[in-house]
Amino acid sequence: MTHSTLKLNFLGAADTVTGSCCLLKHNSQRILIDCGLFQGPKAMRERNRRTFPTDPSTIDGVILTHAHLDHSGFLPRLVKEGFSGPIYCSKGTFDLVSVLLKDAAHLEEEFARYANETGYSSHKPAIPLFTRHDVDQVTPLLHPLDRHHWTNLSDSLSFRLLRAGHIPGASMVEVALAGEKPRRLVFSGDLGNDRLTTMKEPEPLPDCEVLILESTYGDRLQNRVDPQEELAAVIKDTYKNKGVLVVPAFAVGRSQEMIYLIKLLEDKGMIPSMPVVLDSPMAIEATKTFLAHPEDHSLDQTSSQTPLYPKKFETSITADDSMLHTMGDGPKIVISAAGMLSGGRILHHLKHRLPDETNTVLFTGYQAVGSKGRYLQENASSLGNIRIHGKEVSIEAKIITLDCLSSHQDYQDILEYLGRSAKKPKKIILNHGSEAAQLALAKRIQDAYGIDVSCAINRREYSLF
Ligand SMILES: [Zn+2]
């Protein structure tokens, strides 16, 4: 049996970290690996409104690496524009993706309504990118799969999912092409690192000829200090001052990591017990999903106690509950979204807590250039005020960043990860990173292992084998 060429096109995340989408072509088969939204500055988000580069009705299937919107958020548009095939994903991704898409649709609808009421939009009238109704058309197409289970796409093409350790459900995609010379291609998706307290580490890289590798932190080395000492000091300070520690956190992954770190510190007697409030309906949903997938998390489930929650853990689901926590006295810890202060309940907390010097705001995650979070993080010492919901709010609270938590691999992690595979890939194509991150990582991998590494070029067709 001979096989014809396997071709690959990068339709996103080639020159940037968002919009992950690769088109795999083999004979008449056309498969997308991920179908993500472009996120960040307006010029980048406008890309979501362009005509999709290939007719969605000609695509046979989609395989998702994970539920983050920059990997899944274009699905409602793809379906609306004619795609009707299966969307394969892991069971964890299956549980998370509808929650994330519904939340994104709700925000899109709210923003369009607000823009039309106030005239604040360059689109007239403002139309949401997709709606909750559009998301409802995606859900029936989702096909949850067990990891390691091979699924046939055609007589000669099949794939399976392997744990990527980034968020619950996150998977690498291993594609196998049968023939006289069987070939393997692997998409890393976003890869977790072995410093995450709550997640199992990625599975070993399978033998493959070609690896499509993420490079988000390809030019960075994260701080290797144990976050526990630093976090304990911040929490003890808050307790002593009877203040409130406000933690902006991403709903999926970082919120659970923070809750668990606080529980560990409490168990070890490193901090006094105090109320810990998770104030984000999406983070509460994500936490349930997290606990339901022991194939991804590393918590001890043998004890009768909950393996995740501190002693005085509370959730606030309704807006009224949330307002009570916005106003109530300390000491307490509030974990809320959105993680980069782009909207959501966190802004109400900041509005009330920033003007008081007994309080602290703790950043624990990546703050994109241009985000409100980055602005507050970088300018806290020089700014007297920050504008929230149209009002100037004075900044008296302490602003602290804990920069040793990340759910991605930095360049050292990637070099070590590749180093552990006995048979290295012949070729690596880097995606999901800035140009600087890609170039820096390409050089390090070439220098360390002599592998042929290139940086993905948007819309270029690669003939793989
Ligand atoms: Zn991700």
Side-chain angles (χ1 to χ4, degrees), residues 120-371:
Y120 171 66
S121 171
S122 51
H123 301 277
K124 299 213 174 356
I127 296 167
L129 188 63
F130 55 87
T131 63
R132 279 169 285 186
H133 172 77
D134 297 332
V135 175
D136 288 339
Q137 316 312 306
V138 173
T139 316
L141 304 179
L142 293 167
H143 283 240
L145 298 172
D146 283 323
R147 294 231 178 82
H148 305 130
H149 165 84
W150 285 99
T151 299
N152 290 329
L153 296 164
S154 70
D155 287 350
S156 52
L157 202 61
S158 57
F159 77 95
R160 64 175 181 158
L161 304 173
L162 302 166
R163 189 182 65 239
H166 167 63
I167 60 167
S171 303
M172 294 180 265
V173 180
E174 180 181 5
V175 178
L177 183 62
E180 284 166 7
K181 278 190 179 175
R183 309 280 193 179
R184 298 281 166 112
L185 161 69
V186 171
F187 293 84
S188 72
D190 290 356
L191 283 174
N193 60 62
D194 54 14
R195 294 180 299 287
L196 286 168
T197 326
T198 52
M199 298 294 296
K200 287 181 178 155
E201 58 189 53
E203 291 188 66
L205 182 68
D207 289 350
C208 60
E209 279 73 30
V210 179
L211 169 65
I212 313 301
L213 178 63
E214 71 129 330
S215 55
T216 314
Y217 286 167
D219 56 350
R220 272 182 273 180
L221 191 61
Q222 289 151 26
N223 198 336
R224 255 56 177 175
V225 298
D226 183 343
Q228 295 189 27
E229 293 280 340
E230 213 172 323
L231 183 61
V234 176
I235 292 175
K236 278 193 289 191
D237 190 50
T238 302
Y239 186 83
K240 192 179 76 195
N241 295 325
K242 296 191 169 49
V244 176
L245 178 62
V246 180
V247 185
F250 302 110
V252 182
R254 189 55 41 86
S255 291
Q256 293 77 39
E257 187 83 5
M258 286 306 298
I259 294 167
Y260 186 58
L261 279 171
I262 295 166
K263 179 198 157 54
L264 282 182
L265 294 178
E266 214 179 65
D267 288 353
K268 290 180 183 174
M270 289 170 74
I271 56 167
S273 183
M274 58 202 272
V276 178
V277 183
L278 180 61
D279 184 16
S280 157
M282 192 162 65
I284 295 166
E285 273 303 307
T287 304
K288 284 185 207 155
T289 302
F290 172 85
L291 288 169
H293 289 279
E295 72 275 21
D296 282 334
H297 75 65
S298 54
L299 305 185
D300 176 11
Q301 293 199 299
T302 53
S303 136
S304 58
Q305 303 274 316
T306 160
L308 185 66
Y309 303 138
K311 290 189 189 81
K312 296 181 182 170
F313 180 70
E314 299 170 45
T315 55
S316 75
I317 295 174
T318 67
D320 285 349
D321 287 347
S322 177
M323 284 318 282
L324 281 178
H325 286 299
T326 309
M327 310 302 280
D329 291 336
K332 70 174 159 190
I333 301 171
V334 176
I335 301 168
S336 187
M340 293 195 218
L341 315 188
S342 58
R345 292 179 176 183
I346 188 70
L347 294 180
H348 294 281
H349 290 288
L350 290 180
K351 212 158 61 176
H352 286 91
R353 303 303 181 186
L354 276 174
D356 185 339
E357 63 183 9
T358 62
N359 300 330
T360 302
V361 177
L362 181 68
F363 286 104
T364 62
Y366 178 67
Q367 302 296 311
V369 176
S371 65

Side-chain angles (χ1 to χ4, degrees), residues 385-431:
N385 303 294
I386 187 166
R387 205 167 174 79
I388 300 176
H389 295 149
K391 288 198 175 123
E392 292 298 330
V393 176
S394 73
I395 305 172
E396 302 295 336
K398 294 183 234 20
I399 313 291
I400 294 176
T401 296
L402 201 61
D403 68 352
C404 48
L405 298 171
S406 167
S407 54
H408 286 271
Q409 295 199 347
D410 62 19
Y411 68 75
Q412 191 171 312
D413 294 315
I414 288 177
L415 290 178
E416 286 171 9
Y417 183 63
L418 291 172
R420 288 196 286 272
S421 65
K423 201 174 149 205
K424 310 275 182 290
K426 290 195 178 59
K427 182 173 180 59
I428 294 177
I429 305 176
L430 300 177
N431 72 343

